[in-house]
Amino acid sequence: MMDSMKMFLDVMQHQLLSQAAWYDLRNMEKRASAAARVAWQFLMMQRLLGTSCFVEIGAHEAGFSRNVCKKYPQAHIYAFEANPYVFQKYEAILKTDFPAMDYRNAAVSAEDGVSEFLLATDIDGSSEPMAGKRSSLLPRLGDGNSTTSISVPAVRLDTFLQQENLTEEKVCLWIDVEGATGQVLAGTESRLEQVTSLFVEVELNPVWEGQWTFRQVMEWCYRHDFLPVLRDFLYGNQFNCIFVNRAYYNRIESDLMA
């Protein structure tokens, strides 16, 4: 099993890396443009996958969910943000401008109830705003970092789907949780047959204590039948990768090969 997993992961990573040839990655502007194209491809493929419920986790200003509201206004659209200061900053404008979106102040994690959230106050010796993007459920590695611990509501995704009567929906997940991907996925496993696809921010090398690196995310996807299909090249250590549930892959295969 381990040999077959290693071979599969090595082949998949090589194929993902070969996608660099599609783009001009010589400057940041071109890399950002390429990343935007990958995000747009994820949004567009949901029609073929039959996705009817969109869940953005680590939403901040809910950029993905805003685009979903414009493209799929009849869908179920949820955006979760754990940081209460970020939530307070965007709640009113999102409720007014995007009424189809359900924007919630909660961490999506491995346990229901309450989670300890580490609000970054200094990163690498520089102060971080309370509504910044770099706070996490996990402590950041390295010296010169300080946090304030606060309690935030937490929910497993499978619990949420049950509570909201969404167990018959086809779901895609956009996950940008500052290293806490493992916690999100652990709370999803009993409803994976519903999940058509994942868009996940990953790191090659750990930035947060106890985080899953890209290799570990790939291993989880291998065990649960999710295939890596596209990635961007925004930064050297950090990038976004799209995974598709093998049960739905044939719906988009011709599109990806085009």
Side-chain angles (χ1 to χ4, degrees), residues 15-29:
Q15 290 183 354
L16 288 171
L17 283 171
S18 71
Q19 293 172 12
W22 300 352
Y23 309 111
D24 180 354
L25 303 178
R26 290 172 291 183
N27 63 62
M28 188 61 189
E29 184 178 348

Side-chain angles (χ1 to χ4, degrees), residues 27-258:
N27 63 62
M28 188 61 189
E29 184 178 348
K30 297 291 180 64
R31 293 200 302 274
S33 176
R37 288 180 61 186
V38 171
W40 181 251
Q41 181 69 24
F42 181 72
L43 179 68
M44 297 300 289
M45 70 171 57
Q46 302 310 319
R47 179 182 60 80
L48 296 174
L49 291 169
T51 300
S52 55
C53 179
F54 296 76
V55 182
E56 183 175 7
I57 304 167
H60 203 78
E61 79 286 1
F64 174 64
S65 296
R66 293 180 192 219
N67 287 329
V68 174
C69 288
K70 297 170 185 175
K71 184 67 180 176
Y72 307 105
Q74 303 308 314
H76 301 281
I77 306 165
Y78 298 90
F80 287 89
E81 173 53 51
N83 186 333
Y85 296 98
V86 173
F87 181 78
Q88 291 164 13
K89 180 177 179 179
Y90 292 106
E91 180 187 17
I93 190 170
L94 291 176
K95 185 176 292 185
T96 300
D97 293 351
F98 299 91
M101 183 197 310
D102 190 334
Y103 186 56
R104 301 196 179 193
N105 182 206
V108 177
S109 191
E111 301 291 340
D112 295 316
V114 176
S115 284
E116 178 186 22
F117 186 76
L118 302 178
L119 191 65
T121 54
D122 291 273
I123 297 178
D124 296 329
S126 298
S127 62
E128 180 76 2
M130 287 184 172
K133 292 188 173 184
R134 297 189 290 175
S135 297
S136 177
L137 293 171
L138 305 177
R140 194 177 188 92
L141 296 172
D143 299 326
N145 304 315
S146 60
T147 60
T148 296
S149 178
I150 59 175
S151 295
V152 299
V155 64
R156 289 174 57 92
L157 188 70
D158 49 18
T159 301
F160 164 75
L161 294 173
Q162 290 276 0
Q163 290 175 340
E164 297 295 322
N165 296 315
L166 296 169
T167 55
E168 301 301 317
E169 304 295 329
K170 298 294 184 287
V171 183
C172 77
L173 307 180
W174 177 290
I175 305 172
D176 182 356
V177 288
E178 304 303 289
T181 300
Q183 284 85 335
V184 173
L185 295 178
T188 308
E189 293 185 357
S190 72
R191 303 303 313 173
L192 286 179
E193 74 279 0
Q194 290 184 243
V195 180
T196 62
S197 51
L198 311 168
F199 185 101
V200 189
E201 182 185 78
V202 293
E203 282 81 23
L204 292 173
N205 300 303
V207 177
W208 292 271
E209 185 179 318
Q211 83 167 99
W212 286 6
T213 62
F214 178 50
R215 186 75 177 191
Q216 290 166 300
V217 173
M218 288 274 283
E219 289 172 357
W220 182 93
C221 286
Y222 174 85
R223 292 194 300 270
H224 295 91
D225 266 350
F226 281 79
L227 301 173
V229 295
L230 290 171
R231 62 158 288 181
D232 63 34
F233 296 85
L234 193 54
Y235 303 108
N237 186 54
Q238 184 186 78
F239 55 94
N240 300 295
C241 189
I242 296 173
F243 299 86
V244 174
N245 189 326
R246 189 188 295 269
Y248 300 92
Y249 180 78
N250 66 322
R251 302 187 186 188
I252 62 163
E253 184 175 13
S254 60
D255 239 32
L256 292 171
M257 298 300 109

